[in-house]
Every structure is written in C-alpha cells, then in structure tokens.
Amino acid sequence: LPRRLARQPRLAHAAGAQQRDEPLPAADELVEICQLGGAADQRLGVAAADRARTVVVDYSAPNVAKEMHAGHLRTTVIGDALVRMLEFVGHTVVRENHIGDWGRPFGMLIEHLVDLGGDTSALTVKDLDTFYKEARTKFDGDPTFAERSRLRVVSLQGGDEATLALWRRLVDESTRYFARVYDRLGVKLE
C-alpha cells in the first residue's frame, strides 16, 4: 500500500510539503488522495487484531472543583488516541475516568460548602476553582475548620447521606465542566 500511494502525484506532492515549508493538506484532502490512490480499503492496510480483548484505558482523572490543567489535557488526548487505535483494530475498550475522591480535599470542600449554605446551583468552574482555593486557605489557617473537615471525611467514608448528597453536588457540577472540555476535544468517554 505505501508504494502504491507513493506513486500517486497528489500524494507525493503532499508528502513533500513539509520539506518545502508548505502547509500540509487538510485531513479530508488526505483521505481523498488516499482513496484516489487505490486505498479504497477503509482500514488503510491496518490489520485487525488476531484476538480481540477487553482493554481498560484510564483517562485524566481530573480534580473535582478545580480547572483541568495541561497534565489532565495531555493524558486525556493520549488516552483517547489509545482508545481509538485499540477500537480500530477490534478490541473492546472500557474507558475509565476516575472523578471524585474521598480524602482530605473533599472533607474541606464539603465543609466549606456547608459553611456557605450548601448551594452549588450558581457555581461555575471559575467559581469552583475559587471555591477550592477558599476551602484550602481555611483548612490551612483555621484548626477548627481543619478538624471539622477531617470529621467530614469520616462521615463521607461512613456513607452519611447528607454528606454524600453534598459530595454528589460538587462532583456533578465538576462533571458538567469536564464534559464541556471533553466535547471541545472530541473525546468520548462512553
């Protein structure tokens, strides 16, 4: 297949574009060139896996109530690329993106939410980022708040329904933000 494609003038021109400091053709143009060059095989010569397997790919695991950073974006893009390649060759892929936590950060976030009346309906991601920083400042500077936060973690881990409801609110609000980011990247987690 590579030799057949290399004999196509449009493809040869596209392949040399980088060496001539010319812009590369758009993706749809490359697909058209490949199809005209005899690559009507939609798999472009990529063989299916000999034996299909189930593979778990863990994505970015972003922090609740915080904006995603470059590390989250990098692992999201790499994870999505792996998923697409694995699915293309025939594997079943389980996409995993751990969201949520049970440790100290959640104790302080939930306790801060309680101090503010428990309403997350007006929070945006920018507000959540500020919310996180405020909770952290209180945790670091107020021993009483820090102790209440530690006790809140115990309640969360113990399955206290009121605490779990507050935890779900924070996770849900953060998840809506993450979904917008993933949508802009073209990443599908289901």
Side-chain angles (χ1 to χ4, degrees):
L1 180 65
R3 278 189 226 118
R4 269 192 305 172
L5 293 176
R7 289 191 300 257
Q8 298 301 314
R10 285 178 64 198
L11 184 60
H13 182 77
Q18 213 170 12
Q19 294 169 344
R20 294 185 306 271
D21 284 331
E22 295 175 4
L24 293 173
D28 57 343
E29 185 180 352
L30 285 174
V31 168
E32 180 188 338
I33 291 168
C34 289
Q35 288 172 339
L36 290 173
D41 171 18
Q42 293 296 311
R43 299 190 58 78
L44 297 176
V46 177
D50 292 334
R51 190 179 78 162
R53 298 177 182 197
T54 298
V55 181
V56 178
V57 175
D58 191 8
Y59 280 76
S60 53
N63 301 324
V64 171
K66 290 175 89 175
E67 289 185 271
M68 294 173 75
H69 58 69
H72 296 125
L73 297 175
R74 180 182 65 243
T75 57
T76 297
V77 171
I78 292 170
D80 192 58
L82 289 171
V83 164
R84 290 171 191 244
M85 289 187 294
L86 290 164
E87 286 180 337
F88 189 75
V89 297
H91 297 295
T92 299
V93 179
V94 177
R95 294 164 167 90
E96 179 59 39
N97 193 35
H98 173 75
I99 298 175
D101 200 346
W102 296 89
R104 182 191 71 202
F106 257 102
M108 69 181 195
L109 291 170
I110 293 169
E111 201 57 33
H112 186 50
L113 185 58
V114 168
D115 286 354
L116 297 177
D119 184 23
T120 59
S121 62
L123 288 177
T124 65
V125 71
K126 292 281 188 203
D127 296 331
L128 281 172
D129 204 45
T130 300
F131 179 83
Y132 186 94
K133 290 173 184 173
E134 291 170 352
R136 182 60 197 224
T137 299
K138 277 170 65 174
F139 185 89
D140 291 342
D142 181 350
T144 303
F145 178 80
E147 182 57 27
R148 286 182 11 233
S149 298
R150 284 190 272 281
L151 292 173
R152 187 60 70 172
V153 172
V154 173
S155 296
L156 181 63
Q157 292 173 345
D160 176 68
E161 278 305 315
T163 301
L164 283 169
L166 294 170
W167 176 82
R168 283 186 202 105
R169 283 189 202 168
L170 290 168
V171 171
D172 289 347
E173 185 56 42
S174 297
T175 301
R176 280 189 283 281
Y177 158 68
F178 301 146
R180 288 191 305 271
V181 172
Y182 296 140
D183 187 55
R184 285 190 81 179
L185 293 171
V187 171
K188 305 290 183 238
L189 293 174
E190 287 101 32

